[in-house]
Structures are given as structure tokens and as C-alpha cells.
Amino acid sequence: MHTSTNSVSTSPPHEPRNRGSEGATTSSRINVPTRASTEDATEKIRIQNLSLFYGKAQALFDLSMSIPRNRVTAFIGPSGCGKSTLLRCINRMNDLIAGVRITGQLHVDETDVLDPHLDVIALRKHIGMVFQKSNPFPKSIYENVAYGLRIAGVNDKKILDEVVERSLRRAAIWDEAKDRLDQSALGLSGGQQQRLSIARAIAVDPEVILMDEPCSALDPIATAKIEELIAELSSTYTIVIVTHNMQQAARTSHLTAFFYLGKLIEFDSTVTIFTNPKVQQTEDYVTGRFG
Amino acid sequence: MAPEMHTDKVYEAELSQLRDRLLVMGGKVEAAIAGSVRALTERDPALAEKVIAGDRDVNRAEVEIDDMCRRLLALRQPAASDLRFITTALKIVTDLERMGDLAVNVAERALDLSHSPPSRPFHDLTELADLSAMQLAKALDAFVERDVKKAEEVIADDDRLDTLYHRLFNDLLAYMMEDSRVIRRATSTMFAAKQLERFGDHATNVAEMVVYMVRGTDVRHPGSRGG
């Protein structure tokens, strides 16, 4: 079970794993972050002594952390602290940048993510990503969500219909989109586009969802909808979110990691980070005494 | 306060203004308890009246500080030590206001006793008064200096207050049994002593909140919390 291709076969994209909470009411599925909830979680992502270099410049320094399954973990820190760079290591997005060298280890379950022979396309099926700027394809709403499945060779209309509806429902955009599925996704508002991006990410039934500043271009109401969605999805997905907005980290995450100048300064339950952090640099950052 | 200054100077100024207001209020309560005890021991009705009238300032300070805290919470969304400082201020202010009321109660007894013939002096009453006033002064120092050690001394010294109060209680009881004519006076004195003992309890509350504010750990009610 070295590469992710094995686990791909155990979980075809059109057959979702058993979601324990499926069918429950929305409100009962909302996962309120608490200190206790971080304790019974098992490890999903293991990062060991990870360093990253852009040419000769080192951007990440000997990072080690364990990110729990089915929890929301937030990465916070000032610009240039390495939080997005680390996020992009998790699904090998840094491969796209020339001259990047990574040392150390990064595992998602048993998959050695940094293995040069790894099937990166298969990896990204398991690790979805939502970006700061929503990026719908210039296609219909339906095709945007179905895209990942079509790539994977699924063309059965019945399965596609099912997955599109289920994904849009889970991403809390079904009611707004159901009567215009064949219309261009570019006609949706920013907040709707971002929820569509989340629907597209979950259509291929990933295990991990990475979010890089998912709300920074959205108004407060659209932001609240995404945050509610994050809370709901966290019962079935492992979510890692990078955010500049500390209140957002406080509101949405179970655990918070604070990075500064490429180093992991402190990683603890979100309640601890925001009420009683142990490291002075974290204290200075969350109270606004920085720089 | 925390070693670094806020990036936002206005926020920094608001926090230090809140601290200053609390200290001014604490100073008023210190003066009130000292005044009421002096009115009691020196049989000074004018001073007692002054303490009673001064309570309005303490009450107004409570309302203003509460309002400042709510505004800071709503507008600044404080975190970590700032959050602990502001929530501590919100709790301390309630204790201080109550301590002001207790000083008024003592002043009212002083007023009552000033119309009666003098009792024999009770050494423990003076000591109880001095110690409870000192407990507040020390708790406020601990708050300003973020001094956990000093706060813990306040918490530990509450036992001394309790001991003094119980000794005085028995002393007054014996005094009443010897001579039933003093019952009214002695009961008033006993009531005043009880107020001083309660005053000390509130000083302990302040000290406990200071420990929380500095360390982030709650030292109240040991043993009553599971885990």
C-alpha cells in the first residue's frame, strides 16, 4: 500500500464511502469545534521534518505535525510564513513550480505523498482543493461538478446525475442551482461559485479537502455560508484551511497551527491558541501585537 | 501588560484606559472601606455619611467599566491575554461594586453605633479591618503588576481573616452573655465584622481572577471540577 493508486481502487469515485451522518438533519450535523473533539481523532496526515527550498532559499524549516482525521485544521500566520506553501505540499501542487526541493516526509494515511513515483493525478482525486479565487470552468454548472467523474471515465448519465445532485446538496448550493444546471457557472455570484468549487471538489469523493483562503474574496454572508459548510463537511472530511482571517480560523477550526518565517511556532486546539497560547510569538500574533 | 505594544495604538490605549478605570474604582473602594472602619472605631457619623454618599461613584464606575468591556469585546474581538484581561475586568468589577456595598453596610453600622454609648475596644475588629483592606490593596497590586505570587498570597491569607472573624464572633458572644445591655451594640459590631469578612472573600475572588488572567488557569473551587 505504498502509493495512492491502491486506495483509489478501494473507493471508486462514483461510489461514495459510507457516510455515517448521511440523512441526518443539517443542524445536527454541524460540528461544533470543542477541545474534547480533538482528542479522539486519529491521524490523517503526518508531516515529519519537512523542509522546502525554492532554489537555495529555504521556505519551510523542519516541520513536524500530525493532522487529525475528520477535523478542521487551520494554518495561520503573517504573509510569507509558509502556510500556503505547506498546504500545497499536501497535494503536490508545488510540483508545478520550478526549482522546488522538499526534504522530510509527508504521509496521508499510508500514502507517501512525496514519493517521486506517486501518481499525482490519483493523489489529487483523494485530496481536493479549493482556492482563494473560485475558478469555475466556462461550462455549465452540471458539467463543472461532473468534470472530475468524466475525467475518471464515468459517463453513465444516471450516476452523474446522482453525484452532481448529491455534491451540490452537500455544498449547500443545490436549491440555488437546481433550476439552472445547464447554464454557465460563470453566471453564479462569487459566493455561489465558491460553493460550486467545493461541490466540484467533493464530487470525486476525496478524503481531504485543502482550502487556501476560500473566503477572502467573499462578503460576510457568503463567508458565513462557506463556514457553515466547512463545519458540516468536517464530520466526513479532513479539512485543512489556510486563512488570513484569525476570527475565521477561530470560528471554523478544531486545531490551529501558527507559522512564522517558515517555522511551525505552535500547534494546539483552537480554543487554546485563542485563549491561552503557550508561545509568546503566537500570543503576539493572535492579539494583534505583531510587526 | 504584555511586553509588545499593539500594532493598533488605539486598541492599546483602550485597554490601558480600562485598566486605569478599574484601578480608580478599586481606589474608591479601598477609601470606602478604610473610611467606614474609621467611622466605626472613631465614632464619626460625618465620615460614615461621606462613605455612604460616595457609593454612587463606585456604582457609576461599574456601569462604565461594564460598558467599556462590552464594546471592546464587540469591536476588537480580543484573543489570548487581551481576552483574559477583559473577561477578568468584567468579573472584578462586580466584586468591587459589591465590596463598595459592604463598606456602606459597615458605615451604616458606624452611624447606628455612634448614637450609642461606646463599647469596649475589640482589638480583633481593628485587625480584621486592616487585613481586609490590605487584601484588596494587594489583590489590586497583583492585578496591575500581573503578579501571580502576590495573588496567591491574598488567596492564602483569607484563612487569617476567617480565623480573626470567628475569634471576634466568640468574643462578642461572651461580651453579650456577660451584660445583656450591650446586645444591640454588640450585634451591630458583629454585623460590621461579618461585612469585613465578606469583603475579604471578594478580595480573594479578585486575586483568583488575576491568576486566571496571567496564567490562563482557573484556580477557583479546587476539587469541584471533574478532570
Side-chain angles (χ1 to χ4, degrees), chain B residues 39-164:
Chain B
L40 186 73
T41 52
E42 293 175 11
R43 305 166 54 74
D44 183 345
L47 184 55
E49 297 279 13
K50 206 178 140 203
V51 170
I52 294 165
D55 193 46
R56 244 184 319 176
D57 290 348
V58 174
N59 292 344
R60 192 165 46 230
E62 181 195 24
V63 172
E64 285 170 6
I65 290 168
D66 267 358
D67 189 50
M68 282 178 83
C69 291
R70 276 193 297 266
R71 284 180 45 182
L72 280 164
L73 288 171
L75 304 182
R76 299 293 184 180
Q77 287 125 33
S81 63
D82 295 335
L83 179 69
R84 300 202 305 273
F85 168 66
I86 295 166
T87 51
T88 294
L90 262 176
K91 294 201 65 118
I92 284 183
V93 78
T94 308
D95 281 300
L96 289 177
E97 190 277 332
R98 194 82 193 99
M99 290 164 107
D101 290 346
L102 295 172
V104 166
N105 291 347
V106 173
E108 281 169 349
R109 289 306 102 197
L111 214 50
D112 181 37
L113 286 166
S114 69
H115 304 307
S116 318
S119 300
R120 73 168 167 83
F122 293 95
H123 174 69
D124 285 345
L125 180 66
T126 330
E127 207 180 323
L128 184 66
D130 290 347
L131 184 57
S132 49
M134 202 180 77
Q135 286 282 83
L136 171 61
K138 213 166 164 185
L140 288 173
D141 280 354
F143 174 69
V144 180
E145 294 157 18
R146 304 173 59 83
D147 186 339
V148 170
K149 197 163 160 280
K150 206 171 258 180
E152 284 170 343
E153 281 170 22
V154 172
I155 296 166
D157 281 350
D158 191 53
D159 285 348
R160 279 174 59 204
L161 269 180
D162 292 344
T163 308
L164 276 172

Side-chain angles (χ1 to χ4, degrees), chain A residues 140-154:
Chain A
S140 69
I141 293 170
Y142 184 97
E143 284 306 323
N144 263 275
V145 182
Y147 184 80
L149 296 178
R150 290 210 195 274
I151 293 281
V154 180

Side-chain angles (χ1 to χ4, degrees), chain A residues 174-199:
Chain A
W174 173 249
D175 289 340
E176 291 149 83
K178 64 174 186 248
D179 297 326
R180 53 198 282 199
L181 290 174
D182 55 347
Q183 290 174 31
S184 170
L186 300 174
L188 296 170
S189 72
Q192 289 170 332
Q193 287 188 9
Q194 198 61 310
R195 276 178 283 147
L196 180 69
S197 301
I198 293 172

Side-chain angles (χ1 to χ4, degrees), chain A residues 247 273-277 280 283-284 286-291, chain B residues 2-7 77 79-84 215-216:
Chain A
Q247 269 79 44
I273 294 290
F274 286 94
T275 62
N276 194 15
Q280 187 63 42
E283 166 82 32
D284 291 345
V286 300
T287 57
R289 289 180 171 80
F290 225 71
Chain B
E4 285 278 332
M5 287 287 277
H6 260 280
T7 314
Q77 287 125 33
S81 63
D82 295 335
L83 179 69
R84 300 202 305 273
R215 284 211 183 130

Side-chain angles (χ1 to χ4, degrees), chain A residues 183-229:
Chain A
Q183 290 174 31
S184 170
L186 300 174
L188 296 170
S189 72
Q192 289 170 332
Q193 287 188 9
Q194 198 61 310
R195 276 178 283 147
L196 180 69
S197 301
I198 293 172
R200 195 172 62 194
I202 61 186
V204 293
D205 202 36
E207 295 159 18
V208 176
I209 303 175
L210 307 178
M211 298 186 173
D212 194 356
E213 297 276 3
C215 301
S216 61
L218 303 182
D219 72 20
I221 292 169
T223 298
K225 284 183 183 163
I226 300 284
E227 289 179 359
E228 190 185 349
L229 180 58

